[in-house]
Amino acid sequence: LIFTSSLILGTTITISSNHWITAWAGLEINTLAILPLIAKSHHPRAIEAATKYFLTQATASALLLFSAMMNAWHTGQWDITQLTHPTACLILTSALAMKLGLAPFHFWFPEVLQGSPLTTALLLSTLMKFPPMTLLFMTSPSLNPTLLTYMAILSTALGGWMGLNQTQIRKILAFSSISHLGWMAIIVSYHPKLTLLNFYLYSLITATVFLTLNTIKTSKLSTLMTTWAKTPALSTMLLLTLLSLAGLPPFTGFLPKWLIIQELTKQSMAPAATTISLLSLLSLFFYLRLAYCATITLPPHTTNHMKQWHISKPTPSAIAILTTTSTMLLPISPLILTTV
């Protein structure tokens, strides 16, 4: 309870602050609150994940504070929106990229996610990305668009390529998160609200996937193959949600990609839009692979792991609501657009 309330407190402090020091304090509270949740299982891999997470986040926080102090030294301003010094902007971009796991600072993220339990992994990919995302949103006018575009395309490429040969579901979802961050970073200088919309919808869909996997207690592709016999309804939901996460047209996940490509074309950045769209096909491959393992493969009878008992529990209502929203929001996109 203490750690969860600290997480909420840290996030709230950061997203509601105007001063760099309070934003930094909120990020620190967040980092310290999530560490026990990562290392909860006392497994060596969990301890390693917590250590890696702590080191990267501490470095990123130090860089963030350094850029704020440099800006204050040159301009006398501690206000988040008044970031004008070019070197401070560069350092801040790298600090936020490290906080978010945006390429080329993405190496810690799959390892940390692999060492965490599924619920903590969900927090790491959604709630913990919210404070740095709001800082990115607030400082977006002063950041360098070219640098962000290059980092975004690199993120989408690496997230797609490195996720191709993974068998651990948490690592696949980590690389999917890196590739989605690319989509958010490419548009933040031109239309910051689209970045937030993309982040909200990504969080919604990822929450559905993680909670579904948590319900069926699955963390590897080989165990995912046996879930169809156990929970057919939940597996079907997982299939639809994964297709939505890939950004295929009739689902919610298509909406932010469509809007981002449209906005990039308006900004005469059609080559960047084409590149990032083609690179997202790489991640589509491993989503389809996950979906294929979850629903289309029936396991052979000589499985190596224990057969799980067939349980006919009803699907949790939270997952049902989340699945509905993460697949069926496309028809009400005009309504969503009026709020953006």
Side-chain angles (χ1 to χ4, degrees):
L1 181 66
I2 292 172
F3 297 134
T4 317
S5 51
S6 304
L7 273 179
I8 296 165
L9 173 74
T11 308
T12 315
I13 288 175
T14 305
I15 62 179
S16 57
S17 61
N18 286 321
H19 196 285
W20 276 115
I21 298 290
T22 44
W24 171 79
L27 288 170
E28 286 299 297
I29 292 170
N30 253 0
T31 304
L32 294 175
I34 196 85
L35 284 173
L37 296 178
I38 298 174
K40 193 168 60 175
S41 63
H42 299 298
H43 189 274
R45 182 163 276 168
I47 306 294
E48 183 191 349
T51 314
K52 282 179 178 169
Y53 184 75
F54 173 72
L55 290 173
T56 45
Q57 298 298 310
T59 314
S61 292
L63 279 175
L64 183 108
L65 205 53
F66 180 54
S67 80
M69 284 168 70
M70 182 182 277
N71 190 59
W73 178 261
H74 282 281
T75 61
Q77 277 286 353
W78 279 102
D79 196 340
I80 291 181
T81 49
Q82 304 288 325
L83 190 76
T84 48
H85 193 257
T87 320
C89 290
L90 275 176
I91 296 173
L92 180 82
T93 309
S94 56
L96 289 180
M98 208 181 284
K99 280 263 176 213
L100 288 165
L102 188 70
F105 305 103
H106 64 284
F107 293 103
W108 62 273
F109 191 56
E111 301 293 326
V112 170
L113 229 60
Q114 182 54 34
S116 318
L118 279 167
T119 40
T120 312
L122 166 63
L123 283 177
L124 282 170
S125 3
T126 54
L127 187 71
M128 299 302 288
K129 301 248 172 118
F130 189 42
M133 198 53 87
T134 47
L135 289 178
L136 195 66
F137 176 79
M138 286 194 277
T139 55
S140 58
S142 47
L143 299 179
N144 184 348
T146 319
L147 175 68
L148 280 172
T149 306
Y150 279 123
M151 285 169 83
I153 288 173
L154 186 65
S155 280
T156 318
L158 285 173
W161 266 315
M162 294 171 77
L164 289 180
N165 60 350
Q166 299 295 334
T167 55
Q168 297 286 340
I169 296 176
R170 279 170 293 190
K171 275 199 174 173
I172 292 179
L173 288 170
F175 287 118
S176 121
S177 177
I178 292 166
S179 122
H180 274 273
L181 277 169
W183 282 89
M184 295 173 213
I186 200 165
I187 200 69
V188 76
S189 304
Y190 306 105
H191 198 321
K193 285 187 176 173
L194 269 187
T195 301
L196 282 187
L197 174 72
N198 192 347
F199 179 70
Y200 295 147
L201 292 179
Y202 161 74
S203 301
L204 181 78
I205 301 169
T206 310
T208 318
V209 174
F210 270 115
L211 291 174
T212 308
L213 292 171
N214 193 39
T215 309
I216 55 186
K217 300 282 180 284
T218 310
S219 63
K220 287 200 296 290
L221 282 181
S222 56
T223 47
L224 189 64
M225 288 180 187
T226 60
T227 55
W228 179 257
K230 203 175 56 163
T231 49
L234 215 49
S235 299
T236 315
M237 284 182 174
L238 187 60
L239 165 78
L240 294 175
T241 316
L242 284 166
L243 293 180
S244 179
L245 195 56
L248 291 182
F251 301 114
T252 311
F254 176 61
L255 174 64
K257 290 193 173 178
W258 171 36
L259 294 174
I260 286 171
I261 291 171
Q262 192 178 335
E263 185 63 32
L264 285 174
T265 319
K266 277 183 198 164
Q267 300 286 350
S268 63
M269 286 178 65
T274 312
T275 315
I276 203 165
S277 310
L278 288 174
L279 287 171
S280 69
L281 290 177
L282 289 167
S283 41
L284 173 65
F285 173 80
F286 59 72
Y287 293 130
L288 285 177
R289 190 167 157 216
L290 270 174
Y292 185 81
C293 286
T295 53
I296 304 167
T297 20
L298 282 174
H301 290 296
T302 54
T303 40
N304 297 331
H305 44 79
M306 298 283 287
K307 274 274 191 281
Q308 286 148 323
W309 286 97
H310 185 94
I311 39 171
S312 55
K313 274 194 212 157
T315 305
S317 52
I319 296 181
I321 295 165
L322 280 169
T323 308
T324 313
T325 46
S326 59
T327 49
M328 297 181 186
L329 286 188
L330 195 64
I332 60 157
S333 49
L335 176 68
I336 297 171
L337 286 180
T338 53
T339 58
V340 168

